[in-house]
Amino acid sequence: MLDEREVERLDVEAVNSAKTRQPLYAARKKIFPKRASGRFRQFKWLIMAVTLGIYYLTPWIRWDRGPYAPDQAVLLDIANRRFYFFPIEIWPQEFFYVAGLLVMAGIGLFLVTSTVGRAWCGYTCPQTVWVDLFLVVERAIEGDRNARIKLETAPWSASKLAKHICKHAIWVAIAVATGGAWIFYFADAPTLLVDFVTGQAAAVAYITVAVLAATTYVFGGLMREQVCTYMCPWPRIQAAMLDENSLTVTYNDWRGEPRSRHAKKAAAEGLSVGDCVDCNACVAVCPMGIDIRDGQQLECITCALCIDACDSVMDKIGKERGLISYATLADYQSNMAIATDPATGKIEPKRARENGKLNPGIAHFRLSRIFRLRTFIYAGAWSLIGVALLVALLSRDRLDINVLHDRNPQYVRLADGSIRNGYTVKLLNMVPEPRNIQLSIAGLPGATMTIVGVDEAPGRVMSVEVEPDKLKTIRVYVSQPLDQIKEGGTFEFVIKDMGGSETGTYVANFNAPEAGK
Amino acid sequence: MSEKHIDELSGVETTGHEWDGIRELNNPMPRWWLWTFYATIVWSAAYTIAYPAWPMITSATSGVLGFSSRADVSSELALAHGNKSAYLEAIRSDSLDQIMADPYLRQFATAAGSAAFKVNCVQCHGSGAQGSPGFPNLNDDEWLWGGNIAQIYKTIAHGIRFPGDEETHISEMPAFADILEPQQINEVAAYVVSLSGTPDTPDLVGAGAKVFADNCVACHGDDAKGNKELGAPDLTDAITLYGEGQAAIARQIRQPKHGVMPAWGARLGDVQVKELAIFVHSLGGGE
C-alpha cells in the first residue's frame, strides 16, 4: 500500500474547467488524455469492438433470398426502392416500419438516459467510438500523455515529422475505410468494392466516401471534444431526461473533501481530510478536458474513465473504491447530508465513516432505482410501439392489389348494348419469386372481364403471371349486360396466389348510364 | 475615433460607444466564423469565373467550365431518345403481329401511341377516345372500317375520304332524298330502329323492311350487319354515330353526313401510326 505522497501528482490543467473556461473565440487548448485502465475502460473496448464490428462487417453478411433478389443481408437499394434487412424486405410504402424504429430509438434513448445518464455519449456514440479509435493510433505512434506533450512542444525534427505523417496517414486510412463502409450498405458490397478500387463505381460513391472520410478525419482526429460541446444538440436535450434518480458520473466530495496531498500531516494537526489525494489522475484521463471534481458539467460525456483512474489510486492507498462513481443525485445528496457538519455547514468526511469504514447509512446505487414511473412510461411506450410494429410486420401482406377506375370515359356502351368499365389494376407481388395470380370478379351478375394483352375469352376468372418482387400493371375491362345493370353497382376484384394462400380484395365501382338512357 | 477603452471586468476592448453607461464589448469574431467568411468570398469569386455569371452587353460570361442548363437538357433529351431507339427500330422493322406478340414492345408501343393520341387525335375523338356524335367512340366494339390491328392501322395511315391519299376509304352512302319518297324514308327509318330498339311508328316497320331489301342490302347486307369494306355500319347494334332515334336515322337516310379523317401515315410516319394503331386496339374494342 502506498502512502498518498507516493501517488504521483500529475501536472495537468482541466482546460474546459468552468473556472478557466476560455472565451469562444480563443484558440482551443489541446487535450492530451492519458491512457486509463480499469473495468470501464475494458467495457468501452468491448463496446468499441462490437459497434465498429457491426458497422464495418454488416454489409458483408450474405443472406440467400433465391435467384430473384440480392443476397446481401442489409441493403438499402435506393435505385430499385427496396430495403432488405435479413428476412425482411420493405417496399417504399412500408417505410413506416423504419420510421417506427426511429421512434423506438428515440424513446430508447430517453429510457437509457433516464436510468444510466449519458451512456449513449460515453460508450456508443460514433463520435466517442471514433475519437477513441483515433486516440489508440495517436498513442501507439506518439506515446502516452507526457510523450505527446513533449512531442507537441518539441521543435520540428525528422522524427517528429515522421510521427506526424504516420499518425495522419493512419487516421486518413481509417477515415476512408469509415466512409467506404457506408457505401456498401447501398449496393452489393463485393461488386462495389471491386468497382470502387478499379475506378468503375458511380461518382456518388466516391463523393460519399470523400465527404464521410473528411468528416471522420476532422471530427475524430482534429475537433474531438469540440463536436460534443459545441456542435451536438443531444447533450442539451438530455438534460431534460435526467432526474435525481439517473446515474451520472459523480465526484463524491462528501468523502473526498477537503482534498490534501499531505493527509497524514494534516490529520496529525487535527485538520479534517478527505479521501482525495489531489493526484489529478481523473483530470489527466478525461477526453473532454474537465475536472469532474468541479461537479456535473455540460461537457461530461460520462465515459467513466475518471472512475477507472480514481479507483486505481484508491486501490493503491488502500481506500474504498468509488470516490468518483456512478451515483444518482438523490444518493449523493443524502450522503452529503450525512457528511455535512450541521453546525459549520462544512464537509466532515469523518462523519461518513465508522471505524475506518464507510458508514452503513451511506447510500449506494440500488437496482430498484431503475424501476420508477418515468422509466415504466418510457419502457411501456417503447414496447408498445415495438409490439405494434412486430404485429404489423408479421401480418403484413406480400400480395396486394390497387385499382384505378377509368374516369374518361366513365363507361362504354358496346354493340350488344352491354356496358363496359375500364380499370387499371396493379398487382403487387412483394416476394422474390414469380407468382401466378388469379384475378376474379365477385358480384356484378353476368359480368365478364378481359385483360389487355391476354388473348383469352371473356370470363370471370383470369390468371396473371407477375414477376418476382415487381408490380404489374394490367388493363382490365369489365362488361355487364344491360338487363343486369343495377344503379350504384359495386363489385370486388379478388386476387389469390395460385401457389400459396395469400389473397386480396379491392372493392370497385361500376359506372353505368342512368336508367332509360 | 474615440479613445481606446478597455472594459475593466473582462479586459476586452469596447467599441467606444456608450449608452447610459453601457458599453459594448468589441470581441473579435470567432476564427472559424472569420475563415468561413473568407472562404465564401473566395468561393464566390471562383464561382463567377467557373460558371456563367457576369452580365455583358448582349449576353453573359459563359464561365470556364462551359456549363449551360440548356445544353444539359439537350444532352439529357438526346440520351432519352437514344434509350428509346432500340424499341423504335424494332417497331419500324417488325410487323404489327410481331409487335403484338412481344409484351414489352407492345407495352412500349401502347404508351407511345397514347402520347401520340393526345397530340393528334383528341381534337375529334376526345381525350378519352370516347368520341361524340359524328366522331366514333374508339373504346367500343363497333368498327366502321374494321377493328383488327391491320384494319385500324390502315384507317389511321390512309384516313377516311381524305383527298390526296390513294388508298383512303372512299365509299359514301347516297342521299336517299333523291331516290325514295319521304314516306318510304320514314318506313325504312322505322325498320332500322326496330332492329335494335322500338321505333316511334311500329306500323311502318313491315313496309320499311321491303324498302330496306330493295335499296339498302347492297351495302348494309341482308341481315343489316353492315360491311366493313364499305364502311357500312352494323344497323342492328346499340351504337349509332349520328344520333339515336327514328328522326335522326331518317335524317341520315335523307341526306347522310360523312365523316372525314386525315391520312396520318405521311404526316406522322410509319412508326407512330403503328403505335397509334396498337394503342387504339388496346382501348377495349380491338378484335
Side-chain angles (χ1 to χ4, degrees), chain A residues 24-28 408-409 411-417 420 452-455 467 473 477, chain B residues 12 27-31 104 106 127-128 130 137 139-141 237-239 244 282-285:
Chain A
L24 285 178
Y25 55 84
R28 166 202 183 211
N408 181 20
Y411 58 84
V412 173
R413 185 194 298 276
L414 298 181
D416 64 0
R420 194 189 75 200
V452 175
V454 175
D455 299 320
E467 288 178 67
T473 303
Y477 294 115
Chain B
V12 175
N27 278 320
M29 281 296 185
R31 284 190 313 167
Y104 286 103
R106 184 173 178 173
S127 58
Q130 76 278 22
N137 184 345
N139 296 287
D140 63 30
D141 54 351
D237 66 23
I239 296 162
E244 292 176 16
S282 81
L283 289 174

mmCIF file of all heavy atoms in Angstrom, chain A residues 24-28 408-409 411-417 420 452-455 467 473 477, chain B residues 12 27-31 104 106 127-128 130 137 139-141 237-239 244 282-285:
data_model
loop_
_atom_site.group_PDB
_atom_site.id
_atom_site.type_symbol
_atom_site.label_atom_id
_atom_site.label_comp_id
_atom_site.label_asym_id
_atom_site.label_seq_id
_atom_site.Cartn_x
_atom_site.Cartn_y
_atom_site.Cartn_z
ATOM 1 N N LEU A 24 -15.181 31.821 -26.358
ATOM 2 C CA LEU A 24 -15.421 31.007 -27.548
ATOM 3 C C LEU A 24 -14.483 31.325 -28.707
ATOM 4 O O LEU A 24 -14.200 30.481 -29.535
ATOM 5 C CB LEU A 24 -16.867 31.186 -28.018
ATOM 6 C CG LEU A 24 -17.920 30.483 -27.178
ATOM 7 C CD1 LEU A 24 -19.290 30.774 -27.718
ATOM 8 C CD2 LEU A 24 -17.665 28.986 -27.148
ATOM 9 N N TYR A 25 -14.032 32.552 -28.779
ATOM 10 C CA TYR A 25 -13.214 32.923 -29.934
ATOM 11 C C TYR A 25 -11.742 32.601 -29.724
ATOM 12 O O TYR A 25 -10.937 32.763 -30.619
ATOM 13 C CB TYR A 25 -13.383 34.416 -30.261
ATOM 14 C CG TYR A 25 -13.091 35.322 -29.106
ATOM 15 C CD1 TYR A 25 -11.784 35.714 -28.821
ATOM 16 C CD2 TYR A 25 -14.111 35.770 -28.273
ATOM 17 C CE1 TYR A 25 -11.520 36.523 -27.741
ATOM 18 C CE2 TYR A 25 -13.840 36.580 -27.199
ATOM 19 C CZ TYR A 25 -12.541 36.965 -26.936
ATOM 20 O OH TYR A 25 -12.271 37.756 -25.872
ATOM 21 N N ALA A 26 -11.390 32.165 -28.516
ATOM 22 C CA ALA A 26 -9.985 31.852 -28.264
ATOM 23 C C ALA A 26 -9.638 30.511 -28.901
ATOM 24 O O ALA A 26 -10.502 29.658 -29.108
ATOM 25 C CB ALA A 26 -9.723 31.783 -26.766
ATOM 26 N N ALA A 27 -8.347 30.373 -29.211
ATOM 27 C CA ALA A 27 -7.902 29.124 -29.790
ATOM 28 C C ALA A 27 -8.132 27.990 -28.798
ATOM 29 O O ALA A 27 -7.994 28.164 -27.587
ATOM 30 C CB ALA A 27 -6.437 29.207 -30.156
ATOM 31 N N ARG A 28 -8.485 26.805 -29.335
ATOM 32 C CA ARG A 28 -8.733 25.663 -28.471
ATOM 33 C C ARG A 28 -7.415 25.223 -27.829
ATOM 34 O O ARG A 28 -6.368 25.226 -28.474
ATOM 35 C CB ARG A 28 -9.296 24.537 -29.332
ATOM 36 C CG ARG A 28 -9.297 23.191 -28.663
ATOM 37 C CD ARG A 28 -9.338 22.107 -29.715
ATOM 38 N NE ARG A 28 -9.403 20.797 -29.105
ATOM 39 C CZ ARG A 28 -8.878 19.714 -29.673
ATOM 40 N NH1 ARG A 28 -8.244 19.831 -30.836
ATOM 41 N NH2 ARG A 28 -8.964 18.547 -29.090
ATOM 42 N N ASN A 408 -62.483 8.549 -67.817
ATOM 43 C CA ASN A 408 -62.701 9.164 -69.117
ATOM 44 C C ASN A 408 -62.423 8.133 -70.189
ATOM 45 O O ASN A 408 -61.273 7.877 -70.474
ATOM 46 C CB ASN A 408 -61.782 10.381 -69.268
ATOM 47 C CG ASN A 408 -61.987 11.076 -70.588
ATOM 48 O OD1 ASN A 408 -63.016 10.906 -71.224
ATOM 49 N ND2 ASN A 408 -61.001 11.857 -70.996
ATOM 50 N N PRO A 409 -63.400 7.502 -70.759
ATOM 51 C CA PRO A 409 -64.827 7.663 -70.465
ATOM 52 C C PRO A 409 -65.225 6.879 -69.213
ATOM 53 O O PRO A 409 -64.562 5.929 -68.845
ATOM 54 C CB PRO A 409 -65.491 7.054 -71.700
ATOM 55 C CG PRO A 409 -64.499 6.041 -72.187
ATOM 56 C CD PRO A 409 -63.150 6.564 -71.846
ATOM 57 N N TYR A 411 -67.920 5.082 -68.832
ATOM 58 C CA TYR A 411 -68.354 3.753 -69.252
ATOM 59 C C TYR A 411 -68.433 3.764 -70.776
ATOM 60 O O TYR A 411 -68.444 4.829 -71.400
ATOM 61 C CB TYR A 411 -69.720 3.377 -68.647
ATOM 62 C CG TYR A 411 -70.806 4.350 -68.996
ATOM 63 C CD1 TYR A 411 -71.499 4.235 -70.203
ATOM 64 C CD2 TYR A 411 -71.122 5.398 -68.136
ATOM 65 C CE1 TYR A 411 -72.474 5.144 -70.544
ATOM 66 C CE2 TYR A 411 -72.095 6.313 -68.470
ATOM 67 C CZ TYR A 411 -72.775 6.194 -69.679
ATOM 68 O OH TYR A 411 -73.726 7.088 -70.037
ATOM 69 N N VAL A 412 -68.485 2.595 -71.361
ATOM 70 C CA VAL A 412 -68.584 2.477 -72.814
ATOM 71 C C VAL A 412 -69.752 1.542 -73.132
ATOM 72 O O VAL A 412 -69.887 0.474 -72.534
ATOM 73 C CB VAL A 412 -67.270 1.904 -73.392
ATOM 74 C CG1 VAL A 412 -67.422 1.616 -74.884
ATOM 75 C CG2 VAL A 412 -66.116 2.860 -73.154
ATOM 76 N N ARG A 413 -70.582 2.001 -74.067
ATOM 77 C CA ARG A 413 -71.685 1.139 -74.499
ATOM 78 C C ARG A 413 -71.182 0.271 -75.645
ATOM 79 O O ARG A 413 -70.617 0.781 -76.620
ATOM 80 C CB ARG A 413 -72.870 1.979 -74.960
ATOM 81 C CG ARG A 413 -74.096 1.152 -75.322
ATOM 82 C CD ARG A 413 -75.107 1.962 -76.084
ATOM 83 N NE ARG A 413 -75.616 3.100 -75.297
ATOM 84 C CZ ARG A 413 -76.618 2.992 -74.416
ATOM 85 N NH1 ARG A 413 -77.172 1.829 -74.208
ATOM 86 N NH2 ARG A 413 -77.044 4.045 -73.759
ATOM 87 N N LEU A 414 -71.363 -1.029 -75.511
ATOM 88 C CA LEU A 414 -70.891 -1.933 -76.544
ATOM 89 C C LEU A 414 -72.009 -2.229 -77.538
ATOM 90 O O LEU A 414 -73.172 -1.894 -77.305
ATOM 91 C CB LEU A 414 -70.377 -3.235 -75.920
ATOM 92 C CG LEU A 414 -69.178 -3.040 -74.990
ATOM 93 C CD1 LEU A 414 -68.720 -4.375 -74.441
ATOM 94 C CD2 LEU A 414 -68.026 -2.341 -75.711
ATOM 95 N N ALA A 415 -71.616 -2.862 -78.641
ATOM 96 C CA ALA A 415 -72.562 -3.109 -79.729
ATOM 97 C C ALA A 415 -73.772 -3.899 -79.264
ATOM 98 O O ALA A 415 -74.894 -3.663 -79.715
ATOM 99 C CB ALA A 415 -71.851 -3.845 -80.855
ATOM 100 N N ASP A 416 -73.590 -4.857 -78.352
ATOM 101 C CA ASP A 416 -74.730 -5.661 -77.898
ATOM 102 C C ASP A 416 -75.513 -4.971 -76.793
ATOM 103 O O ASP A 416 -76.381 -5.582 -76.171
ATOM 104 C CB ASP A 416 -74.256 -7.044 -77.448
ATOM 105 C CG ASP A 416 -73.339 -6.980 -76.246
ATOM 106 O OD1 ASP A 416 -73.069 -5.841 -75.769
ATOM 107 O OD2 ASP A 416 -72.876 -8.034 -75.788
ATOM 108 N N GLY A 417 -75.195 -3.705 -76.537
ATOM 109 C CA GLY A 417 -75.932 -2.938 -75.553
ATOM 110 C C GLY A 417 -75.391 -3.035 -74.155
ATOM 111 O O GLY A 417 -75.779 -2.276 -73.269
ATOM 112 N N ARG A 420 -69.516 -1.368 -70.480
ATOM 113 C CA ARG A 420 -68.177 -1.784 -70.097
ATOM 114 C C ARG A 420 -67.494 -0.677 -69.309
ATOM 115 O O ARG A 420 -67.627 0.503 -69.636
ATOM 116 C CB ARG A 420 -67.361 -2.086 -71.362
ATOM 117 C CG ARG A 420 -66.085 -2.844 -71.085
ATOM 118 C CD ARG A 420 -65.238 -2.910 -72.334
ATOM 119 N NE ARG A 420 -64.630 -1.604 -72.562
ATOM 120 C CZ ARG A 420 -64.150 -1.196 -73.735
ATOM 121 N NH1 ARG A 420 -64.232 -1.963 -74.793
ATOM 122 N NH2 ARG A 420 -63.604 -0.009 -73.846
ATOM 123 N N VAL A 452 -56.223 -6.655 -71.266
ATOM 124 C CA VAL A 452 -55.491 -6.255 -72.471
ATOM 125 C C VAL A 452 -54.181 -7.040 -72.535
ATOM 126 O O VAL A 452 -53.426 -7.094 -71.567
ATOM 127 C CB VAL A 452 -55.207 -4.742 -72.467
ATOM 128 C CG1 VAL A 452 -54.347 -4.354 -73.663
ATOM 129 C CG2 VAL A 452 -56.515 -3.969 -72.487
ATOM 130 N N GLY A 453 -53.926 -7.647 -73.679
ATOM 131 C CA GLY A 453 -52.686 -8.405 -73.849
ATOM 132 C C GLY A 453 -52.846 -9.876 -73.525
ATOM 133 O O GLY A 453 -51.955 -10.657 -73.786
ATOM 134 N N VAL A 454 -53.985 -10.237 -72.917
ATOM 135 C CA VAL A 454 -54.233 -11.659 -72.639
ATOM 136 C C VAL A 454 -55.308 -12.122 -73.616
ATOM 137 O O VAL A 454 -56.445 -11.671 -73.560
ATOM 138 C CB VAL A 454 -54.690 -11.870 -71.179
ATOM 139 C CG1 VAL A 454 -55.048 -13.326 -70.943
ATOM 140 C CG2 VAL A 454 -53.625 -11.411 -70.216
ATOM 141 N N ASP A 455 -54.931 -12.968 -74.534
ATOM 142 C CA ASP A 455 -55.867 -13.368 -75.580
ATOM 143 C C ASP A 455 -56.686 -14.556 -75.110
ATOM 144 O O ASP A 455 -56.483 -15.693 -75.523
ATOM 145 C CB ASP A 455 -55.105 -13.694 -76.872
ATOM 146 C CG ASP A 455 -54.358 -12.459 -77.367
ATOM 147 O OD1 ASP A 455 -54.949 -11.367 -77.274
ATOM 148 O OD2 ASP A 455 -53.210 -12.593 -77.800
ATOM 149 N N GLU A 467 -44.007 -10.972 -62.187
ATOM 150 C CA GLU A 467 -42.580 -11.204 -61.981
ATOM 151 C C GLU A 467 -42.211 -11.105 -60.506
ATOM 152 O O GLU A 467 -42.908 -10.438 -59.734
ATOM 153 C CB GLU A 467 -41.776 -10.177 -62.776
ATOM 154 C CG GLU A 467 -41.799 -10.420 -64.271
ATOM 155 C CD GLU A 467 -41.027 -9.342 -64.989
ATOM 156 O OE1 GLU A 467 -39.802 -9.286 -64.815
ATOM 157 O OE2 GLU A 467 -41.660 -8.533 -65.683
ATOM 158 N N THR A 473 -48.785 -3.865 -63.854
ATOM 159 C CA THR A 473 -49.950 -3.057 -64.181
ATOM 160 C C THR A 473 -50.661 -3.690 -65.363
ATOM 161 O O THR A 473 -50.041 -3.948 -66.388
ATOM 162 C CB THR A 473 -49.518 -1.629 -64.540
ATOM 163 O OG1 THR A 473 -48.779 -1.090 -63.445
ATOM 164 C CG2 THR A 473 -50.720 -0.747 -64.810
ATOM 165 N N TYR A 477 -60.960 -4.801 -68.561
ATOM 166 C CA TYR A 477 -62.275 -4.298 -68.979
ATOM 167 C C TYR A 477 -63.351 -5.233 -68.445
ATOM 168 O O TYR A 477 -63.300 -6.438 -68.659
ATOM 169 C CB TYR A 477 -62.363 -4.228 -70.500
ATOM 170 C CG TYR A 477 -61.427 -3.200 -71.103
ATOM 171 C CD1 TYR A 477 -60.374 -3.576 -71.930
ATOM 172 C CD2 TYR A 477 -61.604 -1.850 -70.823
ATOM 173 C CE1 TYR A 477 -59.529 -2.632 -72.475
ATOM 174 C CE2 TYR A 477 -60.756 -0.894 -71.356
ATOM 175 C CZ TYR A 477 -59.717 -1.290 -72.186
ATOM 176 O OH TYR A 477 -58.881 -0.357 -72.700
ATOM 177 N N VAL B 12 -11.631 43.325 -22.087
ATOM 178 C CA VAL B 12 -11.809 43.352 -23.536
ATOM 179 C C VAL B 12 -12.051 44.790 -23.979
ATOM 180 O O VAL B 12 -12.740 45.549 -23.296
ATOM 181 C CB VAL B 12 -13.001 42.463 -23.935
ATOM 182 C CG1 VAL B 12 -13.287 42.567 -25.424
ATOM 183 C CG2 VAL B 12 -12.732 41.022 -23.549
ATOM 184 N N ASN B 27 -15.546 42.204 -28.951
ATOM 185 C CA ASN B 27 -14.889 40.911 -29.092
ATOM 186 C C ASN B 27 -14.620 40.628 -30.558
ATOM 187 O O ASN B 27 -15.466 40.922 -31.411
ATOM 188 C CB ASN B 27 -15.782 39.793 -28.546
ATOM 189 C CG ASN B 27 -15.665 39.671 -27.039
ATOM 190 O OD1 ASN B 27 -14.572 39.781 -26.500
ATOM 191 N ND2 ASN B 27 -16.794 39.481 -26.383
ATOM 192 N N PRO B 28 -13.490 40.039 -30.864
ATOM 193 C CA PRO B 28 -13.270 39.669 -32.268
ATOM 194 C C PRO B 28 -14.202 38.518 -32.673
ATOM 195 O O PRO B 28 -14.690 37.784 -31.825
ATOM 196 C CB PRO B 28 -11.806 39.214 -32.299
ATOM 197 C CG PRO B 28 -11.487 38.856 -30.891
ATOM 198 C CD PRO B 28 -12.362 39.686 -30.011
ATOM 199 N N MET B 29 -14.435 38.417 -33.946
ATOM 200 C CA MET B 29 -15.237 37.315 -34.462
ATOM 201 C C MET B 29 -14.537 35.993 -34.143
ATOM 202 O O MET B 29 -13.312 35.933 -34.182
ATOM 203 C CB MET B 29 -15.352 37.424 -35.991
ATOM 204 C CG MET B 29 -16.368 38.427 -36.430
ATOM 205 S SD MET B 29 -17.972 37.877 -35.897
ATOM 206 C CE MET B 29 -18.978 39.109 -36.651
ATOM 207 N N PRO B 30 -15.316 34.933 -33.896
ATOM 208 C CA PRO B 30 -14.661 33.627 -33.758
ATOM 209 C C PRO B 30 -13.881 33.311 -35.033
ATOM 210 O O PRO B 30 -14.326 33.648 -36.132
ATOM 211 C CB PRO B 30 -15.830 32.660 -33.590
ATOM 212 C CG PRO B 30 -16.968 33.492 -33.160
ATOM 213 C CD PRO B 30 -16.751 34.847 -33.731
ATOM 214 N N ARG B 31 -12.761 32.661 -34.869
ATOM 215 C CA ARG B 31 -11.909 32.426 -36.035
ATOM 216 C C ARG B 31 -12.561 31.535 -37.077
ATOM 217 O O ARG B 31 -12.425 31.754 -38.264
ATOM 218 C CB ARG B 31 -10.574 31.809 -35.590
ATOM 219 C CG ARG B 31 -9.650 32.819 -34.963
ATOM 220 C CD ARG B 31 -8.299 32.218 -34.777
ATOM 221 N NE ARG B 31 -8.453 30.887 -34.167
ATOM 222 C CZ ARG B 31 -7.487 29.996 -34.107
ATOM 223 N NH1 ARG B 31 -6.314 30.258 -34.610
ATOM 224 N NH2 ARG B 31 -7.690 28.817 -33.539
ATOM 225 N N TYR B 104 -43.289 -6.672 -74.114
ATOM 226 C CA TYR B 104 -42.585 -5.425 -73.778
ATOM 227 C C TYR B 104 -42.748 -4.407 -74.896
ATOM 228 O O TYR B 104 -43.005 -3.227 -74.663
ATOM 229 C CB TYR B 104 -41.108 -5.709 -73.520
ATOM 230 C CG TYR B 104 -40.888 -6.389 -72.208
ATOM 231 C CD1 TYR B 104 -40.632 -7.734 -72.135
ATOM 232 C CD2 TYR B 104 -40.977 -5.656 -71.017
ATOM 233 C CE1 TYR B 104 -40.444 -8.365 -70.923
ATOM 234 C CE2 TYR B 104 -40.794 -6.267 -69.804
ATOM 235 C CZ TYR B 104 -40.525 -7.626 -69.753
ATOM 236 O OH TYR B 104 -40.359 -8.228 -68.547
ATOM 237 N N ARG B 106 -45.073 -4.334 -77.082
ATOM 238 C CA ARG B 106 -46.481 -3.950 -77.151
ATOM 239 C C ARG B 106 -46.785 -2.867 -76.113
ATOM 240 O O ARG B 106 -47.474 -1.886 -76.395
ATOM 241 C CB ARG B 106 -47.342 -5.185 -76.902
ATOM 242 C CG ARG B 106 -48.823 -4.944 -77.028
ATOM 243 C CD ARG B 106 -49.535 -6.268 -76.932
ATOM 244 N NE ARG B 106 -50.977 -6.116 -76.996
ATOM 245 C CZ ARG B 106 -51.816 -7.147 -77.065
ATOM 246 N NH1 ARG B 106 -51.343 -8.374 -77.093
ATOM 247 N NH2 ARG B 106 -53.114 -6.950 -77.117
ATOM 248 N N SER B 127 -60.557 13.312 -75.362
ATOM 249 C CA SER B 127 -59.371 12.941 -74.593
ATOM 250 C C SER B 127 -59.447 11.515 -74.073
ATOM 251 O O SER B 127 -58.436 10.892 -73.810
ATOM 252 C CB SER B 127 -59.166 13.915 -73.437
ATOM 253 O OG SER B 127 -60.312 13.914 -72.615
ATOM 254 N N GLY B 128 -60.647 10.982 -73.920
ATOM 255 C CA GLY B 128 -60.773 9.594 -73.501
ATOM 256 C C GLY B 128 -61.095 8.686 -74.673
ATOM 257 O O GLY B 128 -61.534 7.566 -74.475
ATOM 258 N N GLN B 130 -63.521 8.849 -76.388
ATOM 259 C CA GLN B 130 -64.939 8.497 -76.246
ATOM 260 C C GLN B 130 -65.776 9.003 -77.402
ATOM 261 O O GLN B 130 -66.961 8.685 -77.500
ATOM 262 C CB GLN B 130 -65.468 9.038 -74.911
ATOM 263 C CG GLN B 130 -65.752 10.538 -74.858
ATOM 264 C CD GLN B 130 -64.514 11.376 -74.606
ATOM 265 O OE1 GLN B 130 -63.399 10.951 -74.850
ATOM 266 N NE2 GLN B 130 -64.707 12.598 -74.118
ATOM 267 N N ASN B 137 -66.669 6.655 -81.198
ATOM 268 C CA ASN B 137 -66.083 6.241 -79.929
ATOM 269 C C ASN B 137 -65.141 5.077 -80.236
ATOM 270 O O ASN B 137 -65.555 4.076 -80.805
ATOM 271 C CB ASN B 137 -67.212 5.791 -78.996
ATOM 272 C CG ASN B 137 -66.713 5.420 -77.615
ATOM 273 O OD1 ASN B 137 -65.519 5.225 -77.422
ATOM 274 N ND2 ASN B 137 -67.642 5.326 -76.673
ATOM 275 N N ASN B 139 -63.514 3.332 -78.016
ATOM 276 C CA ASN B 139 -63.447 2.357 -76.924
ATOM 277 C C ASN B 139 -64.363 1.167 -77.172
ATOM 278 O O ASN B 139 -64.159 0.113 -76.587
ATOM 279 C CB ASN B 139 -63.876 3.012 -75.605
ATOM 280 C CG ASN B 139 -62.937 4.121 -75.179
ATOM 281 O OD1 ASN B 139 -61.836 3.854 -74.748
ATOM 282 N ND2 ASN B 139 -63.364 5.371 -75.340
ATOM 283 N N ASP B 140 -65.405 1.381 -77.989
ATOM 284 C CA ASP B 140 -66.398 0.316 -78.105
ATOM 285 C C ASP B 140 -65.995 -0.694 -79.171
ATOM 286 O O ASP B 140 -64.943 -0.585 -79.795
ATOM 287 C CB ASP B 140 -67.793 0.901 -78.355
ATOM 288 C CG ASP B 140 -67.860 1.664 -79.667
ATOM 289 O OD1 ASP B 140 -67.120 1.301 -80.605
ATOM 290 O OD2 ASP B 140 -68.649 2.626 -79.747
ATOM 291 N N ASP B 141 -66.860 -1.687 -79.381
ATOM 292 C CA ASP B 141 -66.506 -2.775 -80.286
ATOM 293 C C ASP B 141 -67.247 -2.680 -81.616
ATOM 294 O O ASP B 141 -67.445 -3.672 -82.295
ATOM 295 C CB ASP B 141 -66.760 -4.125 -79.613
ATOM 296 C CG ASP B 141 -68.181 -4.244 -79.085
ATOM 297 O OD1 ASP B 141 -68.898 -3.217 -79.085
ATOM 298 O OD2 ASP B 141 -68.581 -5.341 -78.672
ATOM 299 N N ASP B 237 -76.903 -3.069 -84.015
ATOM 300 C CA ASP B 237 -76.348 -2.965 -82.665
ATOM 301 C C ASP B 237 -76.796 -1.687 -81.957
ATOM 302 O O ASP B 237 -77.567 -0.891 -82.485
ATOM 303 C CB ASP B 237 -74.823 -3.081 -82.698
ATOM 304 C CG ASP B 237 -74.167 -1.924 -83.423
ATOM 305 O OD1 ASP B 237 -74.784 -0.848 -83.531
ATOM 306 O OD2 ASP B 237 -73.018 -2.100 -83.874
ATOM 307 N N ALA B 238 -76.317 -1.523 -80.770
ATOM 308 C CA ALA B 238 -76.809 -0.453 -79.900
ATOM 309 C C ALA B 238 -76.073 0.868 -80.144
ATOM 310 O O ALA B 238 -76.298 1.835 -79.432
ATOM 311 C CB ALA B 238 -76.636 -0.880 -78.436
ATOM 312 N N ILE B 239 -75.176 0.884 -81.123
ATOM 313 C CA ILE B 239 -74.339 2.064 -81.283
ATOM 314 C C ILE B 239 -74.686 2.791 -82.570
ATOM 315 O O ILE B 239 -74.784 2.193 -83.635
ATOM 316 C CB ILE B 239 -72.859 1.652 -81.290
ATOM 317 C CG1 ILE B 239 -72.502 1.051 -79.931
ATOM 318 C CG2 ILE B 239 -71.960 2.843 -81.600
ATOM 319 C CD1 ILE B 239 -71.237 0.243 -79.940
ATOM 320 N N GLU B 244 -79.348 8.928 -82.014
ATOM 321 C CA GLU B 244 -80.283 7.826 -81.865
ATOM 322 C C GLU B 244 -81.700 8.269 -82.212
ATOM 323 O O GLU B 244 -82.012 9.460 -82.241
ATOM 324 C CB GLU B 244 -80.251 7.313 -80.414
ATOM 325 C CG GLU B 244 -78.936 6.640 -80.074
ATOM 326 C CD GLU B 244 -78.877 6.213 -78.618
ATOM 327 O OE1 GLU B 244 -79.939 6.162 -77.976
ATOM 328 O OE2 GLU B 244 -77.761 5.936 -78.159
ATOM 329 N N SER B 282 -55.872 -1.311 -78.114
ATOM 330 C CA SER B 282 -55.870 -1.675 -76.688
ATOM 331 C C SER B 282 -57.033 -1.056 -75.925
ATOM 332 O O SER B 282 -57.232 -1.359 -74.752
ATOM 333 C CB SER B 282 -54.554 -1.230 -76.041
ATOM 334 O OG SER B 282 -54.615 0.150 -75.717
ATOM 335 N N LEU B 283 -57.796 -0.166 -76.566
ATOM 336 C CA LEU B 283 -58.829 0.564 -75.823
ATOM 337 C C LEU B 283 -60.023 -0.308 -75.463
ATOM 338 O O LEU B 283 -60.927 0.155 -74.774
ATOM 339 C CB LEU B 283 -59.297 1.786 -76.629
ATOM 340 C CG LEU B 283 -58.262 2.918 -76.710
ATOM 341 C CD1 LEU B 283 -58.750 4.010 -77.654
ATOM 342 C CD2 LEU B 283 -57.989 3.500 -75.343
ATOM 343 N N GLY B 284 -60.040 -1.529 -75.920
ATOM 344 C CA GLY B 284 -61.061 -2.445 -75.432
ATOM 345 C C GLY B 284 -61.901 -3.062 -76.521
ATOM 346 O O GLY B 284 -62.497 -4.112 -76.337
ATOM 347 N N GLY B 285 -61.945 -2.412 -77.684
ATOM 348 C CA GLY B 285 -62.782 -2.963 -78.746
ATOM 349 C C GLY B 285 -62.000 -3.718 -79.801
ATOM 350 O O GLY B 285 -62.582 -4.282 -80.721
#
